[in-house]
């Protein structure tokens, strides 16, 4: 079972907000004393915290699904629901956080850094908070919104001052064990380190950290072996120490060719934008295993050529500890120079949070679907959140949503986009809420086709006066009497006959010329 994991994918689900409460206070002699429904609690956030006590992402590799608590619903008597607890996830320093699209969300390089990676849902307002002078007793409340749900990727990049690079079994683990208190795996048979090891070295008054990077092979920058998986641990180092095995028995290998292969892989490895390329950083060479006579002769033979290339060369032996003191003091000098140059650089630009511009549009309206199946999609944080908060089983809540959308200018935006009464409107992305747009009176003045100064919609809903109703009734009765008289005249003329009876009704029964003013 692996004990070191430096890349995981987390499946996060933040808590949902609690629903608001609809309640009316009832007291003795006051059966309806006013609304007293409380607000729902907010859902719990999920926060990533850079913790120096955490060195691996193994815990998240074993249990990648994490969720925070939901907010509690509101209650009567003005009692608000309890908010969900914030879930803090400690991660190692040097972890880079990526979203689902591969974009960097945060780079946790300092101890104690915090980032809210999954915000919880917002609690809904109760009817007490929704009451106004015009809406004294709302019969509805707002629902809580859902918390953020999705995946984020964590990638650990070891933070160290010096990185040990070289071929497998070059003696990097033995070197870090000899100059620090680290206890990596060491054996008398060929193998390669599978996990980076960190060690703290004290040289004089300087203290610095050394990282033992797993062994590289030719083609590591292209994904061969384990080099590509762990080369990212070299990105944050100030200096590189090439550990070269002078006692190797592999045919075709020598210190010069080994160094050229490693330099080629470091050159081809792309570093993030803004960082110094690996080959432009300070580099030292340690010719290891000089306690073997043949290795000591080979180290003495190649030292002049390596120094001619501009490298500082140190023949060392981790077994006899030869040359380790000189090497650690040289590394301390390089680290001090790097720290001094970094301190002289201007401080990185601080992140400034600025409010949105006053004229920033809170929503967008876009026509989709072509000519045959055209619909209008509305996207925006406020409209989408308002739809989530609406209880569509309550007509009063739907009316409140319509008022909010009209006040925001959504209906004017629909008219400008070409929507007409009955057009299909979708608020949200895929799976959004679908409406049939029915324009309100204040939003469709441009759609009126009646004469100027008149409004057909107002006329259609006006009530006739008492005299107008009386005149309409008399006109209708006179028309019926005239129709009966015409039929009787046709019967008398013989145009048609009544089969049931040959009797003629009295003339007074066929006319209603006398009007009853009562």
């Amino acid at each position: 079972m692996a004990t070191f994991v430096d890349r995981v994918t987390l499946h996060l689900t933040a808590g949902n907000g609690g629903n608001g409460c609809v309640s009316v206070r009832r007291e003795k002699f006051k059966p309806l004393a006013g609304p007293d429904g409380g607000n729902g609690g907010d859902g719990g956030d999920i926060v990533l915290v850079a913790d120096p006590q955490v060195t691996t992402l193994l815990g998240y590799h074993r249990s990648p699904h994490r969720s925070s608590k939901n907010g509690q619903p509101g209650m009567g008597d003005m009692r608000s629901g309890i908010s969900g607890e914030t879930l803090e996830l400690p991660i190692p320093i040097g972890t880079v956080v990526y979203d689902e699209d591969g974009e960097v969300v945060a780079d946790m390089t300092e101890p104690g850094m915090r980032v809210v990676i999954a915000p919880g849902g917002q609690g809904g307002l109760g009817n007490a908070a929704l009451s106004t002078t015009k809406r004294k007793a709302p019969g509805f409340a707002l629902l809580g919104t859902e918390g953020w749900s999705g995946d984020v990727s964590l990638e650990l990049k070891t933070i160290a001052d010096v990185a040990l690079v070289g071929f497998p079994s070059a003696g990097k683990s033995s070197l870090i064990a000899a100059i620090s208190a680290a206890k990596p795996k060491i054996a008398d048979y060929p193998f390669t380190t599978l996990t980076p090891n960190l060690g703290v070295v004290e040289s004089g008054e300087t203290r610095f950290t050394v990282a033992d990077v797993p062994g590289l092979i030719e083609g590591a920058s292209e994904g061969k072996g384990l080099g590509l998986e762990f080369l990212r641990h070299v990105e944050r180092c100030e200096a590189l120490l090439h550990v070269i095995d002078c006692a190797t028995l592999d045919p075709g290998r020598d210190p010069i060719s080994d160094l050229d292969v490693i330099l080629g892989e470091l050159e081809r490895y792309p570093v993030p934008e803004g960082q110094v390329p690996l080959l432009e950083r300070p580099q030292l060479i340690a010719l290891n295993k000089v306690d073997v006579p043949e290795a000591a002769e080979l180290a003495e033979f190649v030292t002049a050529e390596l120094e001619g290339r501009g490298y500082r060369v140190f023949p060392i032996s981790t077994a006899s500890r030869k040359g380790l003191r000189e090497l650690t003091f040289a590394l301390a000098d390089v680290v001090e120079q790097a720290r001094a140059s970094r301190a002289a650089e201007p401080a990185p630009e601080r992140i400034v949070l600025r409010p949105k511009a006053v004229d920033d549009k809170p929503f967008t309206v876009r026509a989709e679907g072509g000519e045959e199946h055209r619909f209008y999609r509305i996207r925006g944080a406020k409209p989408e959140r308002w739809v989530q908060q609406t209880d569509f089983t309550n007509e009063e809540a739907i009316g409140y949503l319509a008022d909010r959308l009209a006040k925001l200018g959504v209906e004017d935006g629909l008219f400008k986009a070409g929507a007409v009464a009955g057009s299909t409107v979708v608020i949200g992305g895929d799976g959004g809420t679908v409406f049939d747009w029915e324009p309100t009176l204040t939003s469709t003045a441009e759609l009126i086709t009646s004469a100027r100064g008149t409004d057909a919609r107002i006329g259609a809903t006006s009530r006739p006066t008492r005299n107008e109703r009386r005149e309409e009734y008399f006109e209708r009765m006179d028309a019926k009497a005239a129709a009966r008289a015409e039929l009787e005249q046709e019967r008398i003329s013989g145009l048609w006959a009544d089969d049931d009876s040959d009797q003629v009704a009295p003339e007074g029964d066929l006319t209603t010329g006398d009007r009853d003013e009562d």
Side-chain angles (χ1 to χ4, degrees), residues 33 36 135 189-190 243 291 304 317 346 353 366 380 425 454 456 483:
D36 66 345
R135 188 190 300 108
Y189 53 85
V243 181
D291 54 299
S317 172
L353 301 179
R366 185 175 65 253
V425 176
T454 62

Side-chain angles (χ1 to χ4, degrees), residues 230-248:
F230 296 103
L231 267 174
R232 60 177 172 270
H233 295 285
V234 185
E235 293 179 6
R236 304 182 187 275
C237 297
E238 299 289 352
L240 302 177
L241 176 61
H242 297 274
V243 181
I244 299 177
D245 184 6
C246 292
T248 180

Side-chain angles (χ1 to χ4, degrees), residues 148-367:
W148 187 89
S149 178
D151 298 341
V152 296
S153 298
L154 305 182
E155 185 177 272
L156 175 59
K157 297 181 179 180
T158 304
I159 297 180
D161 297 306
V162 180
L164 307 183
V165 295
F167 269 74
S169 300
K172 299 184 298 296
S173 299
S174 300
L175 177 58
I176 196 173
I179 62 178
S180 70
K183 303 296 183 184
K185 178 182 177 180
I186 301 173
D188 56 356
Y189 53 85
F191 75 97
T192 184
T193 302
L194 298 179
T195 62
N197 297 302
L198 282 178
V200 179
V201 181
E202 292 188 5
S203 181
E205 298 180 356
T206 304
R207 173 180 292 185
F208 58 93
T209 57
V210 178
D212 169 22
V213 181
L216 306 179
I217 62 174
E218 187 173 2
S221 60
E222 300 174 358
K224 295 182 179 180
L226 298 176
L228 185 61
E229 295 294 325
F230 296 103
L231 267 174
R232 60 177 172 270
H233 295 285
V234 185
E235 293 179 6
R236 304 182 187 275
C237 297
E238 299 289 352
L240 302 177
L241 176 61
H242 297 274
V243 181
I244 299 177
D245 184 6
C246 292
T248 180
L249 301 178
D250 295 344
R253 284 186 54 187
D254 59 80
I256 302 299
S257 61
D258 288 358
L259 178 62
D260 292 337
V261 171
I262 298 301
L263 292 178
E265 299 305 318
L266 297 178
E267 182 181 9
R268 287 188 290 270
Y269 180 76
V271 298
E273 184 179 357
Q275 293 189 12
V276 180
L278 298 180
L279 292 187
E280 296 182 11
R281 304 180 188 185
Q283 302 179 56
L284 290 77
I285 295 179
L287 300 177
N288 195 17
K289 303 181 182 180
V290 295
D291 54 299
V292 179
E294 293 80 2
E297 295 179 2
L298 181 59
E300 184 178 357
F301 178 75
V302 300
T303 297
E305 182 176 351
L306 295 176
E307 290 178 347
R309 295 188 180 186
Y311 296 106
R312 297 177 63 183
V313 182
F314 298 88
I316 64 169
S317 172
T318 56
S320 63
R321 306 186 65 87
K322 178 181 179 181
L324 296 184
R325 180 178 176 82
E326 293 80 359
L327 176 61
T328 55
F329 273 96
L331 293 175
D333 293 339
V334 173
V335 171
E336 287 294 339
Q337 294 177 8
R339 292 175 179 175
S341 61
R342 187 170 64 251
E345 296 177 356
E349 183 180 356
R350 299 180 64 88
I351 299 176
V352 180
L353 301 179
R354 295 183 174 87
K356 293 183 178 180
V358 177
D359 57 350
D360 187 18
K361 295 183 179 180
F363 65 93
T364 58
V365 180
R366 185 175 65 253

